[in-house]
Amino acid sequence: MGDRIKNLLDSVIPSGPLDFVRSDAVVMLLVMGIILGFISVSVLFLIWLERKVSARIQRRMGPMMAGIPWLSEKSMWLGGIFQTMADAIKLLIKEDLMPAEVDRLVWFMAPVLVFTASLMTYVVIPFGQDFGVSDLNVGVLYLLAVSSMTVLGIMMAGWGSNNKYSLLGGLRSVAQMISYEIPMIFALLGPVLMAGTLSLQGIVKAQGENPFGWFWIPNVIGFLVFLIAGTAETNRPPFDLPEAEQELVAGFVTEYSGMKFAMFFLAEFSNTFVVSAVATTLFLGGWQFPWSWIGVTFGSPVTATVASILVFLAKAYVIVFLLMWIRWTFPRLRVDQLMHFGWKVLLPFAFVNLMIAALWVLATTHSAPAAPAAKAMSVVMRSLLS
Amino acid sequence: MEVGLNHFLTLSVLLFAIGLYGVLTRRNAVAILMSLELMFNAANISLVAFTRFLNLPAGQVFALFVVAVAGAEATIGVAIVLSLYRNFRHINVEEVDLLKW
Amino acid sequence: MSAYFFWPIAVFVLLSAIAVVRHPNIFHAGLSLVATFGGVAALYVMLEAHFLAAVQVLVYVGAIAVILMFAVMLTQHLASREADVPLSRHATSFLICAILAAFGISVVNAQTWSVKPFTYLEVKQIGHLFLDRNGFLLPFELVAVLLLVALVGAVLVAWKESD
């Protein structure tokens, strides 16, 4: 995205006194502004979507009053569109409390760390064809590394609150998150193996246009494992025991109110979008769409990029809707059921998926190693697939 | 001023010395484990600096092994600390002297 | 290699390391350790070892620091401070470490290093080195065995006999 903005600025701004506008620093600030703007709008939309979807699943209507006056109570979907903004303003104007006995620096930095970790993951997401903030050549690993910073933030919140409920909630949440990181990593390894690169744009490009060539077919098990592990990673129901209202007062967010609570809340929704975006990138072909099947060709690269961005967002929001659907359908897991499920069910399935992906790669690449067993296996698989 | 191999190696030696100071001085068992991790990181910095400046791929590979071994060692260390806490109700290494005469 | 990045990061790493070894509150010492790990990851990015930088954050910050903080949380109270150590011990330790550091720095600077131009090490090449018989295959398999032993051993050592 940076070089496109640079080209745009080069063509628009004449050289002269406004030369500093074309400098790298301004380009970086503009990219940051665009991405932060997208995140804000996206998170607000997601919170509204969550409330409407949960309402419809429970056969009620959701927020209806906070919206355009003559439209409320007439249309169900357009009734409460400003509800999220009203909630955000309410949280912003709440009194900023800091309990007296907390460990000040630790308690203060915890929501900052959690939200920062969530924001940092947007850097590598491939929003469209040649459109993303940056394409790191170790993109997948960067995503995992940054989301493990969330674990640290939650631990700081649990400990710094000087409250036994917070501590228990924090410890349980950390145990859950580090347990489910491992099946998530193994589920991610399948597409990485098949694409041969850790870069997310590279993985999308390796999937091609054909929907049956996307990585969800050989990695079906891995796709499911990734979605389940991603739900657990973001502390969403049915894995939300650490922050459930009926259980531990409010878990590790007990002592937080106002904007600090909003940081945790926004980070959870932001992470939900990131998990969905990564799932579409790795398993559903990212911004790819079989345009040639419906005979559409693009005149300029700009329209191709815009179309790819729309395709990516559509796919990501479908997965988000799926995660919300799961949230409001299943009951909460108890903490021992949670740990049992993560270690003894998901992890073996993730291993099986990795083996299947490896066999697939062996069978479909012609530069497979020439060991006799590998040759025999590749012959068998090729005959099965043809 | 050009930053060369000497700068990174000096940093590595200083970090190692600071870690050693922590291991010698601290009483809390977990604090000793933390200082030990500093020493591991110091060794890793020098390994990666050698890869970069002397073009030896073995440096980065060896650094990955060091990371894995450090992880294993921290895990066992914490298990021992927890076992210690369960038996003595504190983790002050100065006072764990049952086998002394 | 830009000196603008190196000096601030190096100073940051050294200061947080000193905070790790000197801070009386052990939870804050743990957080300083996390800061040190982050600074070292930044150094790896400077040294063009991007894979290792990501692994550093993933393993050290995401796993090792977490497990050390777990140990702190299970064995300490919130505001507990470590008992003071006599000044003579501080002095002798500082002296030993200062002599070691001086010796190390003088040895390092006395060498003439044959610096070569760097060809970027791709992740694929690291993978090939791990699986190469003339490379690092044996250490790779041994580390796998070591991790298994560590896993089983940690569970056994920390096993609580249910009464």
Side-chain angles (χ1 to χ4, degrees):
Chain A
M1 208 194 310
D3 44 351
R4 278 174 193 247
I5 293 186
K6 211 172 167 63
N7 291 340
L8 188 67
L9 283 177
D10 278 338
S11 58
V12 166
I13 308 278
S15 56
L18 286 176
D19 241 357
F20 70 94
V21 181
R22 286 189 273 143
S23 65
D24 282 332
V26 173
V27 170
M28 275 203 297
L29 281 175
L30 279 175
V31 170
M32 262 168 54
I34 292 177
I35 231 14
L36 286 175
F38 170 75
I39 295 173
S40 316
V41 172
S42 168
V43 167
L44 287 180
F45 173 67
L46 278 179
I47 297 176
W48 171 87
L49 187 69
E50 172 93 46
R51 295 180 73 158
K52 281 295 190 188
V53 163
S54 70
R56 287 311 289 165
I57 289 180
Q58 295 169 356
R59 296 181 64 109
R60 52 186 179 86
M61 292 205 285
M64 289 288 288
M65 303 297 282
I68 305 169
W70 51 272
L71 208 51
S72 309
E73 299 164 33
K74 286 221 183 65
S75 150
M76 196 203 81
W77 288 100
L78 294 177
I81 39 176
F82 293 144
Q83 180 68 40
T84 316
M85 223 167 335
D87 282 337
I89 295 175
K90 178 201 83 173
L91 281 172
L92 267 173
I93 62 179
K94 268 197 175 182
E95 179 188 357
D96 191 29
L97 289 170
M98 183 183 279
E101 297 292 316
V102 302
D103 192 339
R104 300 182 83 87
L105 188 65
V106 172
W107 184 85
F108 187 79
M109 288 302 287
V112 172
L113 199 60
V114 169
F115 198 56
T116 308
S118 176
L119 287 183
M120 278 171 77
T121 48
Y122 282 84
V123 168
V124 282
I125 295 180
F127 284 103
Q129 195 164 6
D130 300 324
F131 194 82
V133 177
S134 167
D135 184 33
L136 301 177
N137 62 337
V138 289
V140 172
L141 211 54
Y142 169 83
L143 268 177
L144 293 168
V146 162
S147 38
S148 58
M149 275 168 50
T150 317
V151 173
L152 211 63
I154 292 182
M155 211 162 47
M156 283 164 65
W159 173 260
S161 299
N162 198 10
N163 176 345
K164 55 176 82 68
Y165 300 108
S166 297
L167 185 63
L168 270 180
L171 284 177
R172 277 186 183 172
S173 179
V174 167
Q176 168 188 320
M177 288 176 84
I178 58 178
S179 307
Y180 280 83
E181 254 176 30
I182 300 181
M184 195 163 91
I185 294 177
F186 274 101
L188 288 179
L189 281 182
V192 167
L193 195 62
M194 290 176 66
T197 172
L198 282 171
S199 135
L200 283 164
Q201 282 278 11
I203 293 177
V204 173
K205 288 196 180 106
Q207 294 185 54
E209 258 195 355
N210 188 351
F212 297 105
W214 295 341
F215 290 156
W216 59 279
I217 290 187
N219 289 314
V220 174
I221 304 173
F223 187 28
L224 292 171
V225 166
F226 182 77
L227 284 180
I228 297 173
T231 316
E233 276 292 306
T234 53
N235 276 336
R236 275 180 75 82
F239 299 103
D240 72 335
L241 193 74
E243 53 180 39
E245 297 92 34
Q246 301 93 334
E247 306 284 336
L248 287 166
V249 185
F252 60 88
V253 296
T254 311
E255 300 284 349
Y256 289 95
S257 62
M259 201 57 205
K260 299 196 180 67
F261 171 73
M263 290 272 124
F264 282 112
F265 193 58
L266 293 177
E268 179 177 321
F269 279 97
S270 166
N271 275 328
T272 306
F273 179 75
V274 168
V275 164
S276 315
V278 173
T280 57
T281 306
L282 291 170
F283 296 101
L284 292 179
W287 44 258
Q288 301 265 23
F289 190 79
W291 295 115
S292 56
W293 286 15
I294 51 179
V296 173
T297 49
F298 291 105
S300 68
V302 174
T303 45
T305 305
V306 169
S308 62
I309 296 175
L310 291 174
V311 165
F312 177 80
L313 288 179
K315 287 185 199 173
Y317 281 117
V318 164
I319 301 287
V320 165
F321 174 73
L322 182 70
L323 290 182
M324 289 182 179
W325 190 4
I326 292 175
R327 171 181 186 164
W328 293 101
T329 313
F330 289 102
R332 187 175 292 137
L333 262 76
R334 224 172 46 222
V335 69
D336 59 323
Q337 292 170 330
L338 206 148
M339 301 299 273
H340 173 275
F341 186 64
W343 286 103
K344 298 186 197 167
V345 176
L346 275 191
L347 191 57
F349 275 119
F351 281 141
V352 165
N353 177 67
L354 187 60
M355 276 193 337
I356 293 178
L359 285 174
W360 184 274
V361 169
L362 198 64
T364 54
T365 56
H366 300 288
S367 56
K375 263 223 164 82
M377 212 177 316
S378 59
V379 164
V380 166
M381 295 229 44
R382 235 174 271 150
S383 61
L384 278 175
L385 289 166
S386 59
Chain B
M1 176 189 176
E2 190 61 30
V3 174
L5 182 59
N6 290 349
H7 296 92
F8 284 99
L9 292 180
T10 310
L11 175 67
S12 165
V13 168
L14 282 174
L15 195 60
F16 189 85
I18 292 173
L20 184 63
Y21 175 73
V23 171
L24 291 174
T25 317
R26 291 286 231 171
R27 273 186 175 169
N28 194 321
V30 183
I32 296 180
L33 283 174
M34 290 181 187
S35 314
L36 207 57
E37 297 299 328
L38 283 181
M39 291 160 79
F40 278 116
N41 273 296
N44 262 354
I45 292 178
S46 71
L47 280 168
V48 178
F50 281 132
T51 299
R52 166 66 172 79
F53 287 100
L54 303 179
N55 202 19
L56 295 168
Q60 274 188 32
V61 178
F62 201 60
L64 282 169
F65 285 130
V66 169
V67 173
V69 170
E73 173 261 348
T75 306
I76 300 269
V78 164
I80 293 176
V81 164
L82 287 179
S83 186
L84 200 69
Y85 182 73
R86 214 172 280 148
N87 285 309
F88 289 95
R89 302 299 299 172
H90 68 80
I91 47 176
N92 188 343
V93 295
E94 299 274 296
E95 297 171 22
V96 179
D97 56 358
L98 283 181
L99 286 179
K100 273 192 185 169
W101 58 88
Chain C
M1 173 115 24
S2 180
Y4 292 128
F5 289 129
F6 176 74
W7 289 110
I9 298 177
V11 166
F12 175 71
V13 166
L14 288 174
L15 285 179
S16 6
I18 293 175
V20 172
V21 301
R22 290 286 298 159
H23 206 298
N25 183 346
I26 191 165
F27 197 82
H28 289 185
L31 292 180
S32 312
L33 189 68
V34 171
T36 313
F37 290 154
V40 170
L43 283 175
Y44 290 161
V45 172
M46 264 183 71
L47 289 167
E48 298 178 54
H50 302 120
F51 180 68
L52 195 60
V55 167
Q56 163 92 3
V57 177
L58 183 61
V59 173
Y60 268 109
V61 174
I64 293 181
V66 167
I67 203 174
L68 286 172
M69 307 287 250
F70 245 102
V72 167
M73 287 199 280
L74 291 175
T75 55
Q76 299 285 328
H77 306 293
L78 182 76
S80 65
R81 299 173 98 68
E82 209 174 308
D84 279 328
V85 159
L87 190 60
S88 59
R89 178 128 149 224
H90 277 293
T92 34
S93 310
F94 182 76
L95 203 60
I96 295 173
C97 297
I99 293 175
L100 180 76
F103 177 64
I105 294 175
S106 59
V107 163
V108 159
N109 286 321
Q111 301 281 341
T112 44
W113 300 103
S114 49
V115 176
K116 301 194 185 73
F118 178 60
T119 46
Y120 184 71
L121 190 64
E122 294 280 340
V123 181
K124 265 202 167 126
Q125 290 171 275
I126 298 180
H128 281 299
L129 276 172
F130 273 135
L131 294 174
D132 187 7
R133 250 206 198 157
N134 306 324
F136 292 91
L137 181 62
L138 183 61
F140 180 61
E141 302 293 342
L142 284 178
V143 161
V145 173
L146 173 77
L147 286 172
L148 177 67
V149 167
L151 188 64
V152 174
V155 170
L156 274 178
V157 169
W159 192 266
K160 194 171 192 167
E161 301 294 339
S162 325
D163 302 333

